[in-house]
Amino acid sequence: MQRIIWYSLMSVLLVGAPGQAMWGASLDNTYTSHKQAHPINVAQATREIDEEAAFNLVWNLPQVQRKARTIQRLSRGAIKVAAIVDGLPTPDDPYYKVRVYEDQPDHNSTIYWFRVSKTGVIEALDVIENKYVSLKEWQEQIRRRR
């Protein structure tokens, strides 16, 4: 039994030591050759958002929260503002559609439409032009209307 253990240990030491020396040498050569190469910046992988994150991005917009408070105050609490993810991304349309609406007792009235890309970029629907515009452009339109 001792011989089996001894032979196994010796074979590991005899084969392992030269193998390790060769491995270390190849690592050193590889490292040396790459040390002189120019560094390459690698972009980080973009994380895709989910339905809940798209909803929260829109719901937490200051303009949406301001509109919700204003409607609730003017209606004395009778009308609440809510939002819903009304469409999920597809291969043809890679956006979450989020609708902000007045939740009245007998019906709902849409206030805003947004689309959110899988990377979290928000665009608002310009109902006059019937096209989505950047969030910055939409915010400027709201300021001009005041």
Side-chain angles (χ1 to χ4, degrees):
M1 184 64 147
Q2 280 183 333
R3 278 188 165 172
I4 294 173
I5 294 173
W6 177 252
Y7 288 136
S8 299
L9 184 59
M10 289 304 291
S11 64
V12 168
L13 289 174
L14 291 174
V15 173
Q20 194 173 25
M22 287 182 3
W23 178 252
S26 72
L27 282 180
D28 289 341
N29 290 341
T30 305
Y31 178 73
T32 305
S33 66
H34 286 300
K35 200 161 55 168
Q36 297 166 354
H38 298 287
I40 299 172
N41 292 330
V42 177
Q44 289 182 340
T46 55
R47 290 181 33 169
E48 290 189 359
I49 64 168
D50 61 3
E51 183 178 348
E52 183 179 354
F55 173 87
N56 288 332
L57 285 171
V58 169
W59 184 249
N60 292 321
L61 287 172
Q63 293 80 2
V64 171
Q65 289 299 304
R66 188 177 311 117
K67 180 65 88 175
R69 285 190 305 270
T70 300
I71 289 172
Q72 193 165 8
R73 187 186 77 236
L74 293 175
S75 70
R76 296 189 177 130
I79 301 171
K80 302 215 184 301
V81 173
I84 187 169
V85 175
D86 209 35
L88 299 175
T90 65
D92 296 330
D93 189 16
Y95 297 97
Y96 292 96
K97 302 292 189 322
V98 181
R99 182 171 65 103
V100 178
Y101 61 95
E102 291 180 359
D103 189 12
Q104 299 184 29
D106 56 343
H107 70 284
N108 293 332
S109 300
T110 300
I111 302 169
Y112 304 125
W113 278 101
F114 296 93
R115 71 181 185 182
V116 183
S117 73
K118 292 178 185 179
T119 58
V121 176
I122 304 171
E123 294 178 320
L125 180 63
D126 179 341
V127 292
I128 296 170
E129 297 290 326
N130 194 30
K131 68 176 186 175
Y132 283 95
V133 296
S134 71
L135 194 56
K136 184 177 180 179
E137 187 176 341
W138 177 72
Q139 290 166 338
E140 288 171 2
Q141 287 174 355
I142 289 176
R143 276 190 225 118
R144 286 193 300 254
R145 290 182 197 151
R146 287 187 191 171

